[in-house]
Amino acid sequence: MKKAVIWMMLICLMLSFSACGSSTQGEENKGHTLVPDISIDQIEWSVDSGTIKGENYVLGKVINNSPFVITSLKISFTEKQGISEADKASFYADIQKSQGFDDAWMTEYIESREKLSQPISMYFKIDDSIEIGAEQEQIKCYYMGGWTSKNVVYPDLFVPEIATIEYEKEGVQYTLYYNFISKNYDLEKAE
């Protein structure tokens, strides 16, 4: 009888350890490949130049074709490979003009980024809920850490890098990351 109880306890213990290693719902455990609740293909998005109140911007557009309400969405872009130094110089000159930076500050900023091999970057972010089937338009894009794209319209210098998608499922908040370069997903469950 004692052996049977010990075997049952061992089996329960082994099952509990295997449950700890199991993947989050929405994942497939084979080879640790994540099968997301929301596929990047279910989020129809684009960036292009556009006008708001007579000013030109880089603007994003999103349609939520997923089966979940998206509570927050951010798409980050990185420098496209092969852009010319002339295009980069023009971009930096327009940033300097729009932000009112002096020549010394801008030169130092560019040199520090080049020394660290940091590419130019852009992003757009929506912190409002995007209902199922809903569309959000005229989402302002920002450069680097948050500089406006107002009258600095360079959408062709960038490619998408990371999508950060927040959504709720069965009362639990999730953050799903999609890497456009590796085409991999990562999922975080709120604590």
Side-chain angles (χ1 to χ4, degrees), residues 38-147:
I38 299 175
S39 164
I40 195 65
D41 297 333
Q42 294 172 319
I43 300 172
E44 193 176 322
W45 65 271
S46 63
V47 292
D48 207 347
S49 58
T51 304
I52 298 176
K53 296 181 182 177
E55 304 288 352
N56 296 319
Y57 293 88
V58 179
L59 299 173
K61 177 181 172 181
V62 172
I63 301 173
N64 178 9
N65 295 317
S66 80
F68 296 93
V69 173
I70 295 173
T71 56
S72 177
L73 173 68
K74 180 179 181 181
I75 298 184
S76 301
F77 299 81
T78 191
E79 179 180 315
K80 185 188 293 184
Q81 285 190 348
I83 65 171
S84 72
E85 288 303 315
D87 285 340
K88 229 174 175 176
S90 179
F91 169 77
Y92 277 130
D94 284 350
I95 287 285
Q96 179 180 358
K97 183 179 174 185
S98 79
Q99 300 299 312
F101 299 137
D102 65 33
D103 290 342
W105 188 92
M106 198 67 194
T107 299
E108 186 177 317
Y109 176 77
I110 293 168
E111 287 173 357
S112 70
R113 290 187 67 82
E114 288 173 351
K115 185 183 264 185
L116 297 171
S117 298
Q118 293 177 323
I120 58 174
S121 60
M122 178 178 77
Y123 71 91
F124 72 76
K125 185 172 184 183
I126 305 167
D127 286 323
D128 298 324
S129 293
I130 310 167
E131 298 294 322
I132 298 166
E135 179 178 331
Q136 292 257 348
E137 295 183 295
Q138 295 194 311
I139 308 156
K140 291 180 184 176
C141 293
Y142 295 91
Y143 296 118
M144 315 307 199
W147 295 337

Side-chain angles (χ1 to χ4, degrees), residues 7-64:
W7 277 108
M8 290 299 281
M9 289 175 64
L10 281 173
I11 290 171
C12 289
L13 186 60
M14 288 173 34
L15 287 173
S16 69
F17 282 135
S18 68
C20 290
S22 70
S23 55
T24 305
Q25 191 173 23
E27 294 181 38
E28 181 185 290
N29 209 14
K30 285 185 192 170
H32 302 291
T33 302
L34 176 66
V35 178
D37 292 320
I38 299 175
S39 164
I40 195 65
D41 297 333
Q42 294 172 319
I43 300 172
E44 193 176 322
W45 65 271
S46 63
V47 292
D48 207 347
S49 58
T51 304
I52 298 176
K53 296 181 182 177
E55 304 288 352
N56 296 319
Y57 293 88
V58 179
L59 299 173
K61 177 181 172 181
V62 172
I63 301 173
N64 178 9

